[in-house]
Every structure is written in C-alpha cells, then in structure tokens.
Amino acid sequence: MLCEKCGKNKATVFYRETVNGKTTSWSLCQDCAEVLEKKGDIKLDTDSFWSDPFADVFGGGLLQSFFGLPAARQIERGKKCTLCGATFDDLVREGKVGCPKCYEIFGDELEDSIRRIHGTSSHTGRVPSRLREGFDRKKKIAALEKDLKTAIREERFEDAAAMRDELKTLRDAGENA
Amino acid sequence: MIWFENDGRDKDVVVSTRVRLARNLEDYPFVSRLDEPSRREIIGRLAAVYDGKNGYRQIDFAALPEQERRSYSERHLVSREFAEDTCPRSLFVSENDGVYVMTPEEDHVRIQCVMSGLELDEAYRRAAAADDLLDAGTRIAYSEKYGYLTHCPTNLGTGMRASVMLFLPALTRAGQMRSLQNQLSKIGLTVRGMGGEGTAADGCLYQISNQITLGVSEEETLKKLADVTAQIVKSERELRGKVTDDEKLARRDRCRRALGTLLYAEVLSSRELLALYADVRLGAAVGDVDTKAWAIDRMLFTSLPATLVTMAEKKPVSALERDKCRAENVRLALAAE
C-alpha cells in the first residue's frame, strides 16, 4: 500500500485517531509521518501509532486493531464458517483466521485488512503441484493472446493462424482438465 | 551437521541464512481451533511424508525435557513458540540439508532451512524440496487469490519468511543501525537486534527479514534480501577498513584480550561471552587472530544456557556452576578448531 500523503513511498506507519467520536485513519510512509508529526497534525504515541505493524502482530493483539479498523464493507452479522464454525467476531477477537475456508467465507470482510497489511490482495509466486499445470497453461494462454494481437496488427497472418491453433489446443486441454 | 559446524559464504559478516515456509492442510481448522485428535492426525500424516526414506527422522518434541526444547530454539533450529508450546507436536529433521519441519507450530506445518553464511537461494531450494514432499503427500490449503492460506494473514501469499543473521560491529559502533532500520522498513524489510538493544553487548548480531509475503514472488523477495545484504556486507567491510592505525591497535588489543579471556577464564556468564564473542569475531574477520569465524560461532551457539545444560554430562545446578561449565565448553570449542 502506498502512502496516502505522498503517494510515492510504501506506507509503513498506520495512524488512527478518534476525536469526539469521529475516527480518522492514515496510512503513511515514515517520512510523511515525521513531517505531519512536526507540523502537529498527528500525535505519535503508543496508543494510536505503530511504526511496525508486524512486531505487534507477533506479540498478539494488533490484528484486532487491523480487523477492527472501520471497514468500507458491510459486515454480515451472524455469518458462520462452514468448516470451523467461526464468526467474523471470533476472528476479530482472536486476531487470527479460523481455518482455510474462512478466507472464502469472510473474503469480503478480510479484504481490507489484508490490503492494509500487504499493500495488495493477490498472490504471485509458488503454486501447489495440483494447480501448477493449470497455472502454467493460463500464463501461456495470456502470453499467446498478447502475441496474437501483435501478429494481427503487424499483418503476420500465417503466424497468427498458428497461434490461434495453439491457443485452441491449450484452451481445450484446460476444459478437459 | 548443524549449520554452525560449517564454514559459509561471506562468513565475516553473514552468520547464517534461514528460509521458512508456512503451510496448512486443507481440511483442518487452523491451530487455535484444532482439537487434539486432529492435531495427532496431522502429525501422523506428516510422519508418512517426512520418513526415513526421504532422509528425515521424527522427534516427539513434546516429550523432550524443557531445556532440550529451548536448546533447539537457542541454536535457531526451531522457533521460540515451537520450543515453548507443550501440546503434542513433532519435529522432522533432515540434518544433512539443515531442514527442520515443525508440526504444528502457529501453522500446521512450518518448514525451515538454516544454513551457515549467505545462502538464500540454496536454503530456499531445500525448503521448497521439503514443501514438494508435503505437496505430494497432502492437500495444502491454497487459494488462487491469496496464495498459501495461513493462520495469521501477515503470512498469506508465499508464506515465506527469509532472513539473514548479520554480524555488524562496525555499523553498530558508527551508530548507523537506526538509520539502516528506517531505510529498510521503507522497502519492506525488518531489522531486529538479536539481544534486543543493538549494543555491543548483544554480540552485534542482527536479523534482517522480509515483512511482506503477498503479491511478491519468492524469487523477488530473495533477490531483494540478497541485494540489500550484499550492500550491507559491503558497507560493514568498508567501515571495518576505514580505521586509523591507533584504532587498529586498539581493535587488535581488544580482540586478543578477549581471546585470552575466553581461553583462560574459569567462569563466564552468557552476557560476558557475547561481548567477548563480538571482539574476537571482528578480530578474526580482519586477520588479528587466526581463529576462524565459523569456529567462533560454534563456540557461541554451543555455550548458550539451555544448550550448555543439555550437552553437559554433569548437569550444572547453580548459576556459578553453569558459568564454569560455559568457560570449559568455550575452551574446548576453541581448541577443537
């Protein structure tokens, strides 16, 4: 996640302040946080400021603040995970997720917290073997589609025809997998 | 062989490399919601994966005496949480590869590879090979969107935490650690002092690791950590070289006095040992003494409190006996090089 102030650096400081019942929160980079503190716009103390979100998570407790931060999405009360029986309130209270299925059941509710922690919410990298073939195929299809467009634009119709055939074979294999 | 028994790359600055992968099995709740029968079932399923055929041996970790469990964490072979927990759990060890599989830890499975010196790619390759075994024998919890699903969302994605333990006496002395910490936090890396304070008394040991696990591939994370480590190694070496003749003499003096104390002391507290370790290790790196960096690491990591008690034939009882035992161990370790 990028700093909300400069929009350039990665946000590493998460600030939350409640005045007269109105909560303001900021995700800032170290530099902007220091500038704002000097200007007196924000007051950095242990209750409302943490420079390293992970240190506290390991010590327990902080995730509650993460989950508990005002979420843009509406939380559906009483919804339960079908595998472990946890409710979203349980996740907030425990500061941890109940089971793999919870990520699916509470996907919408968790999305903001996950973005806040990692700055993104989609995985890049290693894939379990059972899905590896499918992923490689998808990657190949995406690359071929791009090449195909280029070939058509450059009027290399023979190449384009070969690519179209290859794409069909790949897509058929995907449907039969 | 345990990592500190070996020499390693860039050993004058890099003490060790560690790569850890967090994994969970698809059909079970995460650890905080796991009942004991399921816990035992998971251990049983891992025993079938990490068996003798694959070069692993199983240790019933909960059955070990407390000191021995703590010794594993002191030597950085398992996490502190795993060593302190008392629920049923097992450790699967492949000593040749330096791979330690903890089950269950905070996640059902934590695969860890520890190696001497700077070996990020190789440590990852070995951890990934252990992951392949798990993958072939079980269904690992995974989603296309979030990657490997973990108990704590901070580990989502690759589930990988890669870290290097660095010996940085010159940067510490120059008061650069705070600014290094700030710089690294901007690019998603964390620096932690091993003893907490970042003073010479901590042995000038620091651990640098990645914070982010989602949206960055394993290779990118490893490359970033390797690039940053290479830069730190370079600055530390430069600073070690940039000293006046007087400072050189003082450094050599400190190193040799420290070595003298280590070789002849009758009692040694762990705090004193850490301070002496830093002086001798720095002297060894710049050629003030012939002792090898890895031998100094071995001396330190076999002389920490729980390890000392575990290894000793006659168990020390009082603090004084333990310090005496430590002094003996240090002498032996230095003589055995």
Side-chain angles (χ1 to χ4, degrees):
Chain A
M1 168 176 223
L2 291 177
C3 168
E4 289 174 38
K5 188 97 177 94
C6 64
K8 280 187 223 147
N9 301 329
K10 208 169 187 113
T12 55
V13 173
F14 302 92
Y15 177 80
R16 182 171 47 142
E17 180 184 69
T18 307
V19 179
N20 298 330
K22 192 172 167 270
T23 303
T24 327
S25 57
W26 285 93
S27 301
L28 303 163
C29 67
Q30 192 80 30
D31 293 343
C32 290
E34 280 167 19
V35 169
L36 284 180
E37 191 195 20
K38 271 192 196 134
K39 276 170 66 186
D41 288 353
I42 58 172
K43 194 171 143 279
L44 303 180
D45 61 46
T46 45
D47 289 326
S48 57
F49 168 80
W50 52 94
S51 57
D52 178 3
F54 303 90
D56 281 316
V57 169
F58 293 128
L62 185 84
L63 211 60
Q64 294 182 14
S65 325
F66 267 120
F67 286 158
L69 283 173
R73 290 153 217 270
Q74 200 62 39
I75 292 165
E76 195 187 313
R77 296 276 156 193
K79 187 161 72 172
K80 273 190 176 178
C81 173
T82 49
L83 176 65
C84 72
T87 63
F88 187 67
D89 283 343
D90 291 335
L91 268 54
V92 172
R93 199 177 46 248
E94 289 165 22
K96 288 200 175 133
V97 177
C99 72
K101 189 89 184 164
C102 286
Y103 281 106
E104 197 183 301
I105 307 270
F106 304 112
D108 284 350
E109 291 87 340
L110 287 168
E111 173 94 13
D112 286 345
S113 312
I114 290 168
R115 268 183 188 283
R116 210 178 287 274
I117 296 168
H118 294 281
T120 176
S121 63
S122 59
H123 172 60
T124 327
R126 199 170 161 83
V127 171
S129 60
R130 65 175 190 270
L131 303 170
R132 229 165 266 169
E133 205 181 307
F135 269 66
D136 288 348
R137 191 164 41 234
K138 271 189 201 164
K139 244 197 248 167
K140 245 189 225 164
I141 290 176
L144 259 176
E145 280 170 343
K146 212 174 133 199
D147 290 349
L148 177 62
K149 271 186 195 155
T150 317
I152 293 173
R153 203 175 46 236
E154 292 170 359
E155 299 184 355
R156 289 184 284 116
F157 297 116
E158 229 168 276
D159 289 349
M163 284 177 201
R164 221 180 334 247
D165 288 348
E166 202 181 332
L167 267 173
K168 188 178 177 320
T169 317
L170 280 169
R171 285 188 183 127
D172 288 351
E175 274 162 26
N176 297 331
Chain B
M1 276 211 290
I2 294 177
W3 66 269
F4 52 73
E5 307 270 346
N6 302 310
D7 202 353
R9 257 203 294 169
D10 295 323
K11 194 68 178 166
D12 56 328
V13 182
V14 187
V15 175
S16 65
T17 301
R18 198 157 35 147
V19 172
R20 177 274 267 160
L21 302 173
R23 298 289 185 260
N24 288 279
L25 306 194
E26 198 173 63
D27 301 326
Y28 297 88
F30 289 139
V31 169
S32 67
R33 296 182 161 260
L34 199 61
D35 58 18
E36 203 170 309
S38 306
R39 199 176 244 271
R40 292 192 189 279
E41 220 173 279
I42 290 177
I43 295 174
R45 292 185 64 179
L46 259 83
V49 169
Y50 297 110
D51 58 4
K53 280 202 302 289
N54 290 321
Y56 283 84
R57 74 186 164 92
Q58 180 176 4
I59 299 171
D60 179 0
F61 210 71
L64 296 181
E66 192 197 342
Q67 294 289 349
E68 196 169 341
R69 283 189 273 126
R70 280 186 41 212
S71 164
Y72 273 90
S73 114
E74 268 179 5
R75 292 175 292 161
H76 298 184
L77 308 178
V78 305
S79 65
R80 195 191 304 162
E81 294 73 19
F82 187 73
E84 280 170 6
D85 190 2
T86 50
C87 297
R89 63 202 186 283
S90 270
L91 178 68
F92 297 91
V93 183
S94 165
E95 244 129 35
N96 285 343
D97 286 341
V99 175
Y100 300 81
V101 181
M102 298 165 253
T103 183
E105 209 250 22
E106 181 187 284
D107 292 292
H108 296 153
V109 187
R110 287 275 174 102
I111 298 167
Q112 177 167 292
C113 177
V114 200
M115 293 181 72
S116 181
L118 184 59
E119 290 292 352
L120 282 162
D121 290 340
E122 180 61 16
Y124 172 66
R125 197 189 60 76
R126 292 179 186 190
D131 185 36
D132 284 338
L133 289 176
L134 183 70
D135 186 18
T138 60
R139 271 182 81 88
I140 300 176
Y142 181 91
S143 92
E144 210 169 307
K145 184 172 164 65
Y146 292 136
Y148 290 95
L149 300 176
T150 51
H151 197 0
C152 188
T154 49
N155 294 316
L156 278 178
T158 60
M160 181 181 83
R161 199 75 59 190
S163 66
V164 285
M165 202 207 300
L166 304 179
F167 173 62
L168 304 174
L171 283 162
T172 306
R173 205 172 277 257
Q176 305 249 318
M177 289 314 296
R178 182 87 204 145
S179 103
L180 184 68
Q181 213 157 354
N182 285 339
Q183 284 174 40
L184 293 193
S185 86
K186 285 179 193 160
I187 53 167
L189 298 177
T190 319
V191 186
R192 264 188 230 120
M194 298 303 293
E197 302 294 316
T199 60
D202 301 317
C204 300
L205 294 172
Y206 301 87
Q207 188 168 296
I208 299 183
S209 59
N210 63 303
Q211 284 187 336
I212 307 292
T213 51
L214 187 63
V216 213
S217 70
E218 290 84 353
E219 287 74 16
E220 287 170 274
T221 302
L222 293 166
K223 186 173 181 314
K224 189 202 280 181
L225 188 56
D227 289 350
V228 165
T229 305
Q231 276 180 38
I232 299 175
V233 167
K234 192 166 161 264
S235 336
E236 170 69 23
R237 281 182 187 150
E238 275 171 10
L239 270 177
R240 286 178 189 179
K242 260 193 227 154
V243 284
T244 63
D245 286 349
D246 286 357
E247 284 167 337
K248 262 189 201 156
L249 176 64
R251 182 170 70 193
R252 194 162 58 241
D253 180 59
R254 267 201 313 277
C255 164
R256 293 187 170 186
R257 277 168 188 274
L259 186 60
T261 308
L262 289 174
L263 286 170
Y264 291 99
E266 281 289 334
V267 284
L268 269 177
S269 71
S270 23
R271 204 177 167 75
E272 186 182 6
L273 175 66
L274 261 174
L276 297 170
Y277 160 86
D279 284 339
V280 176
R281 207 183 190 287
L282 176 59
V286 297
D288 286 342
V289 284
D290 289 336
T291 320
K292 299 277 184 295
W294 70 269
I296 304 168
D297 288 345
R298 182 185 57 187
M299 168 203 83
L300 178 70
F301 284 95
T302 54
S303 301
L304 296 172
T307 306
L308 207 60
V309 173
T310 306
M311 303 298 170
E313 274 175 38
K314 187 172 166 285
K315 304 288 175 210
V317 183
S318 68
L320 185 69
E321 274 175 15
R322 205 170 47 229
D323 289 352
K324 183 170 175 285
C325 182
R326 178 173 296 112
E328 275 164 22
N329 188 70
V330 162
R331 278 200 301 275
L332 283 173
L334 288 175
E337 188 202 335

